[in-house]
Amino acid sequence: METRLLIAGEQVAGEGPGLDVENPYTQTTLATVALPSSEQVDAAIRAARAAARGWADTPAVERCELLHEVAARLRTGADALADLMTREGGKPLVENADEVGWTAAAFDYYAEMGRNFAGRVLPTIESTQLALVLKEPLGVVAAIVPWNYPLLLLAWKLAPALAAGNAVLCKPSELTPLSTLALAPCLDHLPPGVVSLLAGAGDVGEALVGDERVDGVAFTGSVETGKRIAVRCAERVARINLEMGGKDPFIVCADVADGIEVAAKGGAWAAFLNAGQVCTSAERFYVMSEVYDDFVREFVDYTGSLVLGDPLEPGTDLGPMVSARQRDKVADQVDAAVAAGAERLTGGDDGGQRTGHFYAPTVITGAPAQTDLLREETFGPVAPIVPVASLDEAIALANSTRFGLGANVYTRDLETVVRCMREIKAGTVWFNDPLTDNDAGPFGGFKQSGLGRELGQEGLEAFQETKHVHIETKIAAKSWWYPYGATA
């Protein structure tokens, strides 16, 4: 499979070393990507800087039309893109088809947002004045994207950054670069240099983050990498937008006793979607003691019905994890919890699969509170379930980690909704409908889950500078100027 980078409007072969991309189901090499040389990374940055001014000056209505065209091309190529994403990432085909649709929707949303919001008019202190707040692009933005949702999480950065008038340098994960590089035909109607598609690992990301010509960095990934990016950008006072993962709680209240089967199914979907490789996966379940036994029983039964297998097959619910390293990390966390006294009710193996990096969906009870399984991000198909005596205890536990990305609550009680809405420290709180995204709703986290927001108007403003403009239309001396004695 031939792969090419997109630099200065041209698809070019990388001049750096080769990177093998594995199919996590067959465990064979899907393609070898020739990475960019340092000279090619420099060329991409130079092209972005050269294109940024012209793109910023392009009328917003024209940028709008061009972004709608990106969305249209994504939909036309949806089948091929979803197939490629499935082969390089292991996520089931149905989920990747959804991802392409969501990616296109993000471009459509920001196409309109970009021509609808450019600032505001302020009230003035005198009748001869005009006061404006202008929104201007940052200039050149680096978008560094993880492997779990390679197109969607790129679109959450690329679409608003383009709509705001920025040039963008895109760096996908080294595990899933193919679908990003395959976007070139969806972008070749844009001015050369406005978007570059690179590949590589930390060295390429480091080159983008540390370059003075890059005005902002948008990143989704681990806390450790996000902190390093924050330090590098702080040294040169560059804008950052960081989404660094979570350890999302899932609270089940006693008042949903008659809907416990639905809550269990919703919880399983929230925990096991994309084999648990979602930053907003439900990773800690806090269930009121009155319904705990029923919830565990329903959850385990439903988990046992899920189908593991070839992610290209339509009947597959869970495909393999993205890599052996990710699978082993999850297994180590589960094994440590079991060694500390937890009980594994189901899962914790390869699910009987003969090939692929599989980890069967796993349900754990009795995990000690201090184990990593209840403290650190798992990023795998594991659901530890903990009984709680009260809503006070559930909220306290929900807030007990360094993360604050999302949270889920099942309840019928309005007072509970209001309490959880106000007291849970998370960027998104879902009630009775896990993990539902909304392009118009800002996404991001509290605490070490990140800085800034994606999506919504906030997602556009993340890629804009704010300028206050004060205009006095009458040229005349002001009464409060020097000499002060004349006005005494």
Side-chain angles (χ1 to χ4, degrees):
M1 178 180 178
E2 184 181 17
T3 62
R4 288 183 172 269
L5 314 174
L6 179 64
I7 298 174
E10 299 290 335
Q11 288 189 263
V12 299
E15 297 172 355
L19 171 72
D20 289 341
V21 180
E22 182 194 35
N23 180 322
Y25 176 65
T26 65
Q27 295 179 257
T28 58
T29 298
L30 182 60
T32 299
V33 177
L35 301 181
S37 64
S38 58
E39 292 80 9
Q40 286 180 306
V41 174
D42 179 72
I45 297 172
R46 284 189 284 108
R49 289 225 66 88
R53 180 60 184 270
W55 182 244
D57 289 342
T58 301
V61 66
E62 294 183 23
R63 293 202 301 262
C64 168
E65 292 170 356
L66 292 169
L67 293 187
H68 278 310
E69 178 62 19
V70 174
R73 294 186 184 194
L74 280 164
R75 293 188 176 100
T76 298
D79 290 346
L81 284 169
D83 182 89
L84 181 57
M85 292 164 68
T86 301
R87 294 179 190 277
E88 75 170 340
K91 191 159 75 248
L93 182 62
V94 62
E95 294 179 17
N96 283 318
D98 285 342
E99 181 174 346
V100 178
W102 299 334
T103 300
F107 277 95
D108 277 334
Y109 175 79
Y110 279 109
E112 296 300 321
M113 175 68 78
R115 73 185 185 103
N116 186 58
F117 180 73
R120 65 187 190 275
V121 179
L122 303 178
T124 59
I125 58 175
E126 292 188 351
S127 62
T128 55
Q129 297 171 348
L130 177 64
L132 307 172
V133 174
L134 303 184
K135 294 291 185 176
E136 299 180 352
L138 300 179
V140 174
V141 172
I144 301 176
V145 185
W147 45 262
N148 58 331
Y149 287 89
L151 295 193
L152 183 64
L153 295 180
L154 175 60
W156 286 9
K157 299 164 182 59
L158 180 58
L162 291 176
N166 298 279
V168 186
L169 302 153
C170 305
K171 206 291 283 186
S173 165
E174 63 271 25
L175 295 178
T176 56
L178 302 179
S179 52
T180 300
L181 297 180
L183 289 180
C186 299
L187 303 167
D188 63 10
H189 61 295
L190 300 176
V194 167
V195 179
S196 294
L197 303 177
L198 304 174
D203 55 340
V204 176
E206 185 77 16
L208 298 176
V209 168
D211 199 295
E212 293 282 351
R213 296 168 294 176
V214 176
D215 302 291
V217 176
F219 166 80
T220 299
S222 71
V223 172
E224 290 70 26
T225 302
K227 286 180 177 179
R228 289 199 298 271
I229 290 173
V231 170
R232 289 301 307 276
C233 288
E235 290 171 346
R236 58 188 188 87
V237 198
R239 182 80 67 85
I240 54 174
N241 204 71
L242 306 175
E243 193 272 282
M244 302 187 295
K247 188 70 180 174
D248 287 10
F250 192 110
I251 297 172
V252 181
C253 296
D255 58 72
V256 297
D258 59 346
I260 204 69
E261 180 182 357
V262 173
K265 288 182 176 180
W269 188 78
F272 304 142
L273 176 67
N274 190 16
Q277 299 168 122
V278 184
C279 55
T280 51
S281 288
E283 294 201 353
R284 298 175 289 147
F285 286 79
Y286 299 119
V287 183
M288 300 295 179
S289 56
E290 298 94 324
V291 294
Y292 175 80
D293 290 339
D294 290 342
F295 181 84
V296 170
R297 182 179 63 253
E298 293 285 352
F299 197 102
V300 170
D301 288 348
Y302 188 61
T303 298
S305 72
L306 301 179
V307 177
L308 280 70
D310 184 347
L312 288 170
E313 290 295 323
T316 296
D317 296 314
L318 279 82
M321 299 191 68
V322 73
S323 69
R325 180 180 178 181
Q326 282 297 125
R327 180 199 59 204
D328 293 346
K329 171 180 173 290
V330 172
D332 288 346
Q333 201 178 86
V334 170
D335 291 346
V338 172
E343 181 180 3
R344 183 166 41 215
L345 302 184
T346 188
D349 55 21
D350 62 8
Q353 300 300 306
R354 289 174 293 182
T355 185
H357 306 306
F358 282 93
Y359 195 80
T362 302
V363 183
I364 299 287
T365 58
Q370 70 272 17
T371 61
D372 283 351
L373 192 63
L374 290 173
R375 305 294 301 173
E376 299 298 331
E377 190 169 42
T378 302
F379 226 65
V382 182
I385 307 177
V386 177
V388 293
S390 67
L391 184 61
D392 287 342
E393 182 183 6
I395 292 174
L397 289 170
N399 291 334
S400 66
T401 73
R402 61 179 174 145
F403 299 101
L405 187 57
N408 289 278
V409 181
Y410 265 81
T411 183
R412 300 182 190 278
D413 181 61
L414 181 58
E415 183 177 352
T416 298
V417 169
V418 173
R419 274 202 65 193
C420 291
M421 176 182 72
R422 290 177 174 171
E423 296 180 26
I424 292 176
K425 303 303 181 184
T428 302
V429 184
W430 291 278
F431 292 91
N432 308 323
D433 187 19
L435 275 57
T436 298
D437 289 324
N438 182 338
D439 286 335
F443 177 85
F446 289 23
K447 299 187 280 188
Q448 291 191 30
S449 283
L451 297 170
R453 292 293 182 269
E454 297 183 306
L455 298 182
Q457 183 170 311
E458 291 86 348
L460 181 68
E461 291 183 283
F463 300 101
Q464 294 175 317
E465 289 284 13
T466 301
K467 179 183 289 183
H468 175 210
V469 176
H470 176 86
I471 303 170
E472 171 60 79
T473 62
K474 182 180 179 182
I475 299 178
K478 300 297 184 182
S479 62
W480 55 84
W481 292 358
Y482 299 125
Y484 291 143
T487 58

